């Protein structure tokens, strides 16, 4: 990641420790994940030990040290979605894409992840693809959904 | 426009009223996350297109969610002289048709959710009657808002504006009585009087534990320190609960106003709203609201010319459940890992950056302006002895009418599940309601007449939590639910205490053993013992309440555990290792659909055609992965699960 981009993100928040999470989230929004060189740079620039940064990066579910695919699928496994068969939706997607949850497809198209509730419980089971929420899913709707993002 | 006087506020209100009740027809589309996920954006575009193309005399607006999420997208039409109507499950095509019909003074009765003849302005004890001079054709037989069973028992205080105002317009919030309480607080009340009023109202925190809000404020006000913080917990971690999201998306100013009042009462000049990372729309709406409030002089320096100043920052969480806990939340804002600490010293004395800090939940803050405008006396008449006011619940899961409801404390579970929720769909039998998120428990049918308030829920081994109510029916397995929550908690435990980190993990392992048919009767005792240790020895309430889902399911559904252990059977047909799928050859119509959808080609048979009689299909148990596709696909109920 270009140093100038990181600089401008840090500048926006100020090099305060309390801005670290926001800075990491913005880096991830740009790069899709947290590249190691970017974290090293943040560490130097903000005078925060790298281990601290890695602790934060591995603690929060929203942050990822692994590159993600072109499209990100989050299948909800919150309680309301769970009792309406959320895990079956997840498994169907796993089978269709040939990956397990947490993985990225070989062609780098999809990264499959799970979340615990996105607040759309009344329409469960739901999944989020690239920020767009799809409700009232069934196993039979999965293939069509994936095709939309081919 | 900067507001300085009551007159300025009145002017803003007039502007808002013009927005809310324009002279021409106004069409509003519910565009909260639930609406958007069912295509409200497409509906909005379709109407916009139609209006532009035909130069129709229609004003188009966006609004939040009026709670009946199941029926989204909801579109409402308001025209002076007619009743307001709410359409449900609107599609782009339907949208076009219904506005054209409206212009011909017609409605499509079948698509209507309800009509409305008047609007309650709860903030000011006013009812806004719509003057009705004309009745649209086809509206006969459409129930009024309060006649719809879903709305009949509701009393909307927290959700007062959701679905009625455009959250992006501060004027509309002001028009319905917003920021009047702030004015009153700053100019007509002393901080101590505000605290006294909140105390007298009996308001208890809506974030989970139900701590008395006024008392918390008082401690924080009295705490020594020149700098104090106020915080809003919008981390809404309980899966199945989404009231905070809906309030922030539909009425963000109500929370901002509550926080300013609270800050003034406590003596804080800086605040933070900690919002869940999973709520991008709520973040967007809040940012707009904060900016507008600042531009109007309601936030920032010298608010309304009172000399009081407050800055509110928005902090985006990182997707960690434990960060909803007060000390973890504060650590997270400080830029540290979101781990809780022991609370020998309360955060009201030493919280964020070791300064006195007052944290309240979104819904708690949202109630504050109403308490000031309507008075503690009015507020405390609602609810039960020890739990005052209303509570927003999300009724979701296996229930006919899913959505967000707001009811007076003390209403029974039965009224919520049956009268409002419409009971369990598909003719299935009701089994339990899960409340309180991962800290809560499952309440069985035998307790269906339980009045719902903070203390009664705790008495039966559950909790209020944020207000999620997940309805479960006979096809929900209680062992699976307990296992589900342990899986959640073992993943979300920050790992600081051994008891929580290991306790949740071991309980999950044992529950997995039971679910997979390797359980023994000793496991039940072991679960109880582990649960006790986990609760007693853990630092924060994540561990402290972690065993609740396990203990409450054992308490009320022990026979279901025993069925798994002794007979290797899952009565709800959920625990996969114990299931067998087979096709009833005498019911099978030989259509072959099941074989087509089977992902592992475990189903064979011969399809019936015009020429051939075919052969019934059957499942090779060795190949079957029990995904349930055949079961879901078969229209003739020929697939049996045992
Ligand atoms: C593990 C854990 C998670 C919590 N999550 C939330 C949450 O998501 N939202 C919330 O308002 N309170 C949550 N709480 C409760 C808060 O610690 C705190 O009591 C509450 O925000 C105080 O606000 P109130 O008095 O207005 O309820 C959580 C507590 C624990 C132990
Ligand atoms: S449980 Fe899936 S969105 Fe809430």
């Amino acid at each position: 990641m270009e140093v100038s981009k990181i600089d401008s993100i840090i500048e926006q928040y100020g090099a305060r420790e309390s801005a670290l999470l926001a800075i990491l989230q913005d880096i991830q929004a740009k790069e899709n994940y947290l590249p190691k060189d970017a974290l090293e740079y943040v560490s130097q620039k903000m005078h925060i030990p790298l281990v601290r940064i890695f602790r934060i990066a591995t603690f929060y579910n929203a942050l990822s040290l692994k590159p993600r695919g072109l499209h990100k699928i989050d299948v909800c496994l919150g309680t309301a979605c769970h009792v309406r068969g959320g895990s079956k939706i997840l498994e169907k997607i796993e089978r269709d894409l040939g990956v397990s949850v947490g993985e990225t497809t070989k062609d780098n198209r999809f990264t499959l992840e799970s979340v615990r509730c996105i607040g759309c419980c009344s329409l469960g089971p739901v999944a989020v693809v690239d920020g767009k929420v799809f409700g009232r899913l069934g196993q039979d709707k999965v293939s069509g959904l994936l095709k939309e993002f081919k | 426009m900067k507001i300085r006087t009551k007159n300025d506020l009145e002017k803003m209100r007039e502007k808002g009223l013009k927005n809310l009740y324009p002279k021409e027809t106004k069409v509003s589309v519910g565009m909260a996350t639930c609406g958007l996920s069912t295509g409200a954006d497409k509906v909005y575009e379709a109407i916009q297109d139609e209006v532009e193309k035909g130069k129709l005399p229609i004003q188009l607006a966006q609004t939040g969610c009026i709670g009946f999420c199941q029926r989204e997208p909801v579109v409402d039409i308001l025209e002076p002289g007619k009743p307001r109507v709410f359409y449900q499950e609107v599609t782009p095509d339907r949208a076009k048709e219904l506005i054209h019909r409206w212009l011909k003074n017609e409605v499509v009765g079948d698509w209507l959710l309800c009509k409305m003849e008047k609007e309650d302005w709860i903030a000011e004890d006013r009812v806004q009657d719509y003057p009705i001079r004309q009745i649209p054709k086809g509206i006969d037989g459409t129930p009024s808002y309060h006649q719809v069973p879903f709305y009949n028992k509701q009393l909307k205080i927290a959700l007062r504006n959701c679905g009625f105002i455009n959250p992006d317009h501060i004027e509309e919030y002001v028009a319905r009585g917003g920021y009047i309480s702030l004015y009153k607080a700053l100019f007509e009340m002393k901080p101590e009087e505000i605290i006294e009023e909140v105390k007298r109202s009996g308001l208890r925190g809506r974030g989970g534990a139900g701590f008395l809000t006024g008392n918390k404020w008082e401690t924080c006000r009295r705490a020594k320190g020149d700098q104090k913080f106020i915080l809003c917990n919008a981390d809404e971690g309980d899966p199945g609960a989404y009231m905070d999201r809906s309030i922030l998306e539909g009425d963000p100013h109500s929370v901002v106003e509550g926080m300013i009042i609270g800050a003034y009462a406590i003596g804080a000049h800086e605040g933070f709203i900690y919002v869940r990372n999973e709520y991008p729309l709520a973040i967007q709406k809040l940012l707009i609201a904060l900016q507008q409030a600042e531009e109007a002089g309601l936030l920032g320096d010298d608010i309304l010319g009172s000399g009081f100043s407050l800055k509110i920052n928005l902090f985006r969480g990182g997707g960690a459940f434990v960060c909803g806990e007060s000390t973890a939340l504060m650590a997270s804002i400080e830029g540290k890992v979101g781990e809780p600490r022991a609370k020998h010293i309360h955060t009201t004395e030493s919280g964020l950056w070791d300064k006195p800090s007052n944290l309240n939940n979104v819904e708690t803050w949202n109630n504050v302006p109403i308490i000031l405008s309507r008075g503690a006396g009015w507020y405390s008449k609602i609810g039960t002895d020890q739990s005052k006011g209303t509570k927003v619940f999300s009724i979701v899961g296996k229930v006919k009418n899913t959505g967000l409801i707001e009811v007076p404390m003390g209403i029974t579970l039965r009224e919520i599940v049956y009268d409002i929720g419409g009971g369990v769909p598909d003719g299935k039998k009701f089994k339990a309601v899960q409340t309180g998120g991962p800290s809560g428990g499952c309440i069985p049918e035998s307790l269906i007449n339980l009045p719902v308030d903070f203390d009664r829920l705790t008495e039966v081994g559950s909790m209020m939590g944020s207000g999620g109510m997940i309805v479960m029916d006979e096809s929900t397995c209680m062992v699976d639910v307990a296992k589900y929550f342990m899986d959640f908690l073992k993943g979300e435990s920050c790992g600081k205490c051994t008891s929580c980190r290991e306790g949740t993990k071991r309980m999950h392992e044992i529950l997995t053993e039971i679910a997979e048919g390797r359980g023994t009767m000793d496991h039940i005792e072991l679960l109880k013992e582990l649960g006790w240790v986990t609760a007693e020895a853990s630092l924060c309430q994540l561990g402290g309440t972690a065993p609740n889902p396990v203990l409450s399911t054992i308490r009320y559904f022990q026979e279901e555990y025993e069925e798994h252990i002794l007979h290797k059977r899952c009565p709800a047909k959920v625990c996969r290792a114990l299931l067998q799928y087979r096709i009833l050859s005498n019911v099978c119509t030989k259509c072959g659909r099941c074989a087509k959808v089977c992902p592992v080609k475990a189903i064979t048979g011969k399809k019936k055609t015009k020429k051939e009689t075919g052969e019934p299909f059957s499942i090779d148990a060795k190949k079957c992965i029990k995904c349930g596709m055949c079961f879901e696909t078969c229209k003739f109920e020929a697939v049996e699960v045992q």
Side-chain angles (χ1 to χ4, degrees):
Chain A
M1 187 175 182
E2 283 162 41
V3 164
S4 62
K5 276 195 205 157
I6 306 178
D7 279 338
S8 70
I9 292 175
I10 295 178
E11 205 165 294
Q12 189 193 330
Y13 294 98
R16 298 168 293 127
E17 203 175 339
S18 69
L20 185 57
L21 180 55
I23 290 168
L24 296 183
Q25 280 172 322
D26 280 13
I27 291 176
Q28 175 160 304
K30 284 221 160 61
E31 296 295 302
N32 218 346
Y33 77 113
L34 295 173
K36 190 157 172 251
D37 58 336
L39 297 185
E40 281 164 357
Y41 183 76
V42 171
S43 160
Q44 280 171 15
K45 179 100 184 180
M46 294 180 67
H47 307 291
I48 299 174
L50 193 57
V51 288
R52 289 271 300 280
I53 296 184
F54 266 94
R55 250 202 107 193
I56 300 265
T58 50
F59 181 82
Y60 292 105
N61 294 332
L63 301 174
S64 167
L65 294 172
K66 278 195 290 185
R68 286 165 164 164
L70 195 59
H71 303 292
K72 182 162 176 279
I73 309 177
D74 288 309
V75 180
C76 180
L77 295 181
T79 323
C81 291
H82 176 76
V83 302
R84 288 207 196 174
S87 55
K88 283 196 172 150
I89 305 294
L90 179 66
E91 285 162 26
K92 173 82 168 92
I93 300 179
E94 287 181 331
R95 285 200 303 274
D96 280 16
L97 295 180
V99 292
S100 300
V101 62
E103 294 177 353
T104 301
T105 53
K106 280 213 187 71
D107 62 2
N108 221 18
R109 239 171 218 292
F110 293 104
T111 296
L112 179 61
E113 283 174 12
S114 67
V115 282
R116 304 283 192 171
C117 190
I118 52 136
C120 244
C121 328
S122 52
L123 302 167
V126 304
V128 186
V129 188
D130 297 342
K132 192 168 168 17
V133 182
F134 295 86
R136 298 184 187 129
L137 288 175
Q139 292 201 63
D140 53 335
K141 290 193 188 151
V142 166
S143 309
L145 175 67
L146 295 178
K147 267 198 202 111
E148 263 187 61
F149 293 89
K150 275 280 148 132
Chain B
M1 174 183 143
K2 275 244 190 278
I3 299 173
R4 285 283 165 180
T5 60
K6 226 173 186 165
N7 208 12
D8 294 342
L9 204 59
E10 204 49 48
K11 266 189 225 143
M12 185 177 260
R13 165 177 223 160
E14 269 157 33
K15 202 169 146 212
L17 286 172
K18 280 199 191 115
N19 264 350
L20 282 179
Y21 311 104
K23 292 215 173 68
E24 68 266 42
T25 301
K26 179 173 149 185
V27 177
S28 313
V29 184
M31 296 192 49
T33 300
C34 40
L36 291 174
S37 68
T38 49
D41 45 346
K42 300 227 168 67
V43 170
Y44 186 90
E45 280 164 26
I47 301 176
Q48 198 171 28
D49 264 7
E50 214 59 14
V51 170
E52 278 169 16
K53 255 196 315 201
K55 302 214 163 38
L56 307 178
I58 283 178
Q59 207 175 9
L60 184 58
Q62 304 192 4
T63 184
C65 168
I66 65 160
F68 212 159
C69 310
Q70 165 125 39
R71 305 285 172 86
E72 294 277 7
V74 171
V75 170
D76 87 80
I77 309 183
L78 176 71
E79 186 185 331
K82 293 185 190 174
R84 188 176 197 155
V85 296
F86 289 82
Y87 279 101
Q88 55 187 349
E89 293 170 353
V90 180
T91 59
D93 287 339
R94 282 187 179 189
K96 287 183 206 162
E97 175 160 358
L98 61 89
I99 57 168
H100 282 294
R101 294 244 207 142
W102 182 263
L103 295 173
K104 286 187 249 161
N105 195 33
E106 266 177 44
V107 294
V108 192
D110 288 349
W111 301 346
L112 278 176
L113 168 63
C114 64
K115 63 182 179 200
M116 195 179 253
E117 292 91 0
K118 55 179 197 277
E119 222 176 88
D120 292 324
W121 286 6
I122 200 98
E124 296 168 288
D125 193 15
R126 259 165 69 175
V127 177
Q128 167 84 355
D129 281 309
Y130 302 138
I132 293 168
R133 296 181 293 269
Q134 214 180 2
I135 303 287
K137 229 188 292 163
I139 206 169
D140 295 341
T142 303
S144 287
Y145 174 82
H146 281 293
Q147 287 168 342
V148 177
F150 184 79
Y151 290 115
N152 181 305
K153 298 204 161 162
Q154 293 200 47
L155 173 60
K156 294 198 177 189
I157 296 177
L159 300 176
R160 55 196 178 270
N161 292 321
C162 288
F164 288 96
I165 63 168
N166 183 334
D168 297 343
H169 290 291
I170 186 172
E171 304 84 23
E172 298 191 12
Y173 175 68
V174 171
R176 285 179 122 247
Y179 288 114
I180 289 170
S181 297
L182 175 64
Y183 192 91
K184 185 171 169 183
L186 292 181
F187 295 103
E188 294 163 21
M189 294 174 88
K190 288 201 199 73
E192 290 80 5
E193 286 170 349
I194 298 173
I195 292 177
E196 200 45 44
E197 192 73 4
V198 175
K199 271 169 86 178
R200 278 204 308 123
S201 75
L203 176 67
R204 294 172 69 173
R206 304 301 197 229
F211 198 78
L212 282 162
T213 306
N215 292 18
K216 194 193 261 183
W217 289 17
E218 188 166 53
T219 326
C220 195
R221 173 158 188 91
R222 287 188 181 155
K224 285 197 186 70
D226 43 359
Q227 197 186 7
K228 293 176 184 174
F229 293 106
I230 50 150
L231 302 126
C232 172
N233 194 337
D235 199 42
E236 195 156 69
D238 288 1
Y242 62 98
M243 47 290 300
D244 296 351
R245 168 183 77 64
S246 201
I247 291 172
L248 293 175
E249 287 177 0
D251 191 18
H253 283 286
S254 63
V255 179
V256 176
E257 185 182 1
M259 284 182 79
I260 310 171
I261 295 171
Y264 171 69
I266 289 157
H269 299 289
E270 187 166 1
F272 289 86
I273 307 180
Y274 192 99
V275 193
R276 244 183 129 201
N277 182 55
E278 288 85 345
Y279 288 174
L281 190 63
I283 292 175
Q284 189 193 328
K285 299 289 170 198
L286 257 179
L287 285 173
I288 295 173
L290 289 174
Q291 195 192 340
Q292 287 178 343
E294 206 155 312
E295 281 164 12
L298 299 161
L299 256 183
D301 290 334
D302 191 18
I303 294 173
L304 293 171
S306 67
F308 174 69
S309 304
L310 173 69
K311 181 174 180 305
I312 297 184
N313 311 288
L314 194 139
F315 194 96
R316 192 158 38 119
F321 174 71
V322 74
C323 286
E325 195 275 341
S326 53
T327 57
L329 182 145
M330 292 175 200
S332 180
I333 294 180
E334 291 172 10
K336 304 195 180 108
V337 162
E339 279 177 357
R341 64 158 174 82
K343 286 202 267 191
H344 306 304
I345 302 173
H346 285 288
T347 50
T348 41
E349 314 254 347
S350 173
L352 189 58
W353 289 297
D354 300 328
K355 310 281 182 203
S357 307
N358 183 88
L359 172 74
N360 281 117
N361 165 266
V362 168
E363 199 184 327
T364 315
W365 287 121
N366 152 303
N367 268 282
V368 169
I370 297 291
I371 290 172
L372 290 205
S373 66
R374 296 293 299 268
W378 171 81
Y379 192 87
S380 60
K381 281 203 197 81
I382 306 165
T384 60
D385 242 14
Q386 299 297 324
S387 303
K388 299 298 184 191
T390 54
K391 177 77 194 85
V392 184
F393 293 103
S394 50
I395 41 168
V396 293
K398 306 285 189 66
V399 63
K400 274 191 196 138
N401 305 328
T402 57
L404 263 199
I405 61 161
E406 183 172 357
V407 286
M409 297 271 193
I411 190 171
T412 64
L413 264 185
R414 179 188 295 283
E415 288 170 282
I416 294 179
V417 174
Y418 287 97
D419 299 348
I420 300 176
V424 175
D426 307 326
K428 294 223 170 97
K429 214 171 143 296
F430 169 83
K431 189 184 225 166
V433 184
Q434 202 278 340
T435 72
S439 311
C442 291
I443 304 169
E445 189 180 17
S446 56
L447 294 172
I448 191 83
N449 292 320
L450 185 83
V452 177
D453 71 9
F454 284 105
D455 309 303
R456 304 304 288 270
L457 286 175
T458 311
E459 272 167 33
V460 298
S462 188
M463 255 184 64
M464 178 71 85
S466 313
M469 282 201 175
I470 294 101
V471 180
M472 300 174 169
D473 68 9
E474 58 187 318
S475 63
T476 314
C477 168
M478 289 298 142
V479 176
D480 177 69
V481 167
K483 184 175 129 217
Y484 163 82
F485 278 115
M486 279 315 111
D487 186 42
F488 178 94
L489 288 166
K490 87 174 166 45
E492 295 298 339
S493 167
C494 73
K496 192 168 176 175
C497 323
T498 315
S499 54
C500 174
R501 185 184 65 236
E502 295 299 321
T504 50
K505 198 162 173 199
R506 297 301 159 232
M507 284 192 274
H508 181 257
E509 278 171 7
I510 296 170
L511 289 162
T512 306
E513 293 279 298
I514 297 175
E516 293 183 355
R518 295 185 300 273
T520 65
M521 287 305 283
D522 294 342
H523 277 153
I524 294 183
E525 285 316 305
L526 191 55
L527 279 174
K528 287 186 191 163
E529 197 181 323
L530 263 174
W532 180 78
V533 175
T534 305
E536 288 297 310
S538 297
L539 195 63
C540 86
Q541 285 304 309
L542 189 146
T545 55
N548 281 355
V550 179
L551 299 179
S552 75
T553 47
I554 294 180
R555 176 166 165 193
Y556 298 117
F557 300 95
Q558 180 151 348
E559 73 286 6
E560 212 171 316
Y561 278 81
E562 288 172 6
E563 199 65 24
H564 283 75
I565 294 169
L566 299 174
H567 304 114
K568 314 294 174 210
R569 248 189 90 236
C570 173
K573 299 178 181 164
V574 173
C575 296
R576 216 173 277 191
L578 306 179
L579 300 183
Q580 284 267 318
Y581 281 79
R582 75 191 182 102
I583 296 173
L584 303 170
S585 56
N586 54 337
V587 187
C588 177
T589 61
K590 306 166 206 165
C591 71
R593 278 210 193 93
C594 53
K596 219 168 144 194
V597 296
C598 179
V600 291
K601 305 212 167 9
I603 305 180
T604 48
K606 230 188 211 143
K607 200 172 154 178
K608 186 174 160 183
T609 58
K610 272 185 202 138
K611 286 185 201 133
E612 286 180 63
T613 51
E615 272 166 41
F617 285 75
S618 64
I619 301 174
D620 181 349
K622 282 205 202 78
K623 285 191 189 159
C624 176
I625 56 164
K626 301 169 187 175
C627 69
M629 285 292 278
C630 54
F631 181 80
E632 286 171 24
T633 307
C634 181
K635 296 213 162 49
F636 310 99
E637 296 182 11
V639 181
E640 190 189 54
V641 195
Q642 260 187 338

